[in-house]
């Protein structure tokens, strides 16, 4: 097999120090992942291997250099995210993913996709009026949709953000919770508030909610409304019924966009009820202007153990898995 060599000339000692890692640990990871050979001499990095090995390592190094230029840290987790992107041959180029970002406030706060799947998800939201983001916990479904909504509002592409969630959780009954209706449903809406507060100042969110620019409400409150000039997000959509999903999707008015997010492996509806998200996937596929993006455990950006937990449950729940 013919051996190929590619020389990368890094800009300076700072860039090489970040890319090589402590005691060249990043280079050792790349050698192990791609079975290539890397030789570092100052700011010169030589990659040796097959044409494919050399090209894959080169793409990872290119992604790392973009992070360095943006002053983003490159830790063990970020390096493995880049490696997964390169190995995902069906995904976009690493440069396209790493250079993408969404500005979410006036202080240059930006949200970036971290995986190929997240990049596809963002591109789908940008080009379609209705997008379904389906995948396990930690894949950024709600967070990235929220970032797109905040960006659209701040850039005056929409007049309002409307955030909805079905008030169904793990078989618990709202009637047994203390307080009035708003106090009963507020805990179910908390994840939406958390994402908002992570992107915008607390006072600004409060002001926009008072002015009606941001609305967070249980799904039941959507009935009978027409949502014009809105960016609408339906979160935890696996817990909608077929009737609720149809009701929600038919609320969409002029100049509006909707993102529906959910995890079909965590349905808390009574067993006799069909999930509106699963039903919609089957009924609505193929409609122009609507896209369904499936995210997987490779798109999880939480603690590294979350990926392993999801994998373990997938194997246990597969026909070949054991339920003992």
């Amino acid at each position: 097999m013919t051996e190929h060599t590619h020389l990368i000339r890094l800009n300076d000692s700072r860039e090489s120090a970040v890319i090589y890692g402590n005691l060249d640990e990043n280079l050792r990871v790349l050698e192990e992942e791609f079975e290539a050979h890397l030789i570092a001499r100052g700011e010169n990095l030589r990659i040796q291997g097959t044409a494919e090995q050399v090209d894959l390592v080169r793409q990872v190094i290119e992604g790392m250099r973009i992070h360095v230029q943006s002053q983003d840290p490159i830790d063990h987790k970020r390096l493995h995210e880049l490696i997964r992107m390169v190995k995902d041959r069906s995904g976009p180029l690493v440069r396209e993913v790493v250079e993408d970002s969404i500005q979410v406030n006036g202080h240059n706060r930006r949200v970036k996709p971290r995986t190929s799947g997240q990049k596809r998800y963002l591109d789908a939201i940008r080009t379609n009026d209705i997008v379904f983001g389906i995948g396990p916990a930690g894949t950024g479904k709600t967070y990235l949709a929220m970032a797109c909504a905040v960006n659209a509002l701040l850039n005056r592409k929409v007049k309002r953000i409307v955030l909805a969630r079905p008030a169904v959780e793990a078989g618990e009954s709202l009637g047994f919770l203390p307080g009035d209706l708003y106090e009963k449903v507020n805990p179910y809406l908390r994840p939406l508030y958390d994402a908002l507060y992570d992107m915008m100042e607390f006072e600004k969110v409060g002001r926009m909610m008072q002015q009606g620019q941001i609305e967070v409400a249980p799904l039941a409150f959507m009935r009978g409304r027409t949502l014009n000039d809105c960016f609408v997000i339906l979160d935890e959509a696996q817990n909608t019924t077929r009737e609720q999903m149809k009701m929600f999707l038919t609320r969409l008015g002029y100049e509006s966009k909707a993102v529906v997010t959910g995890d079909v492996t965590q349905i808390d509806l009574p067993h006799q009820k069909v999930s509106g998200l699963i039903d919609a996937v089957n009924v609505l596929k193929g409609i122009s202007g609507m896209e369904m993006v499936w995210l997987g455990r490779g798109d999880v950006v939480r603690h590294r153990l979350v990926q392993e937990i999801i994998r373990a449950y997938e194997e246990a729940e597969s026909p070949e898995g054991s339920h003992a």
Side-chain angles (χ1 to χ4, degrees), residues 197-215:
Y197 293 142
D198 194 48
M199 296 176 197
M200 302 172 69
E201 295 86 350
F202 187 89
E203 295 78 10
K204 189 170 187 177
V205 172
R207 194 164 57 248
M208 286 185 158
M209 293 184 77
Q210 287 180 343
Q211 295 169 352
Q213 291 177 283
I214 299 176
E215 177 185 349

Side-chain angles (χ1 to χ4, degrees), residues 166-221:
V168 176
E169 295 289 341
E172 297 172 8
S173 172
L174 287 175
F176 290 99
L177 295 175
D180 60 22
L181 179 60
Y182 279 94
E183 290 172 323
K184 288 175 187 290
V185 301
N186 194 58
Y188 300 109
L189 304 174
R190 177 52 52 187
L192 298 174
Y193 287 111
D194 289 344
L196 268 176
Y197 293 142
D198 194 48
M199 296 176 197
M200 302 172 69
E201 295 86 350
F202 187 89
E203 295 78 10
K204 189 170 187 177
V205 172
R207 194 164 57 248
M208 286 185 158
M209 293 184 77
Q210 287 180 343
Q211 295 169 352
Q213 291 177 283
I214 299 176
E215 177 185 349
V216 184
L219 177 60
F221 287 24

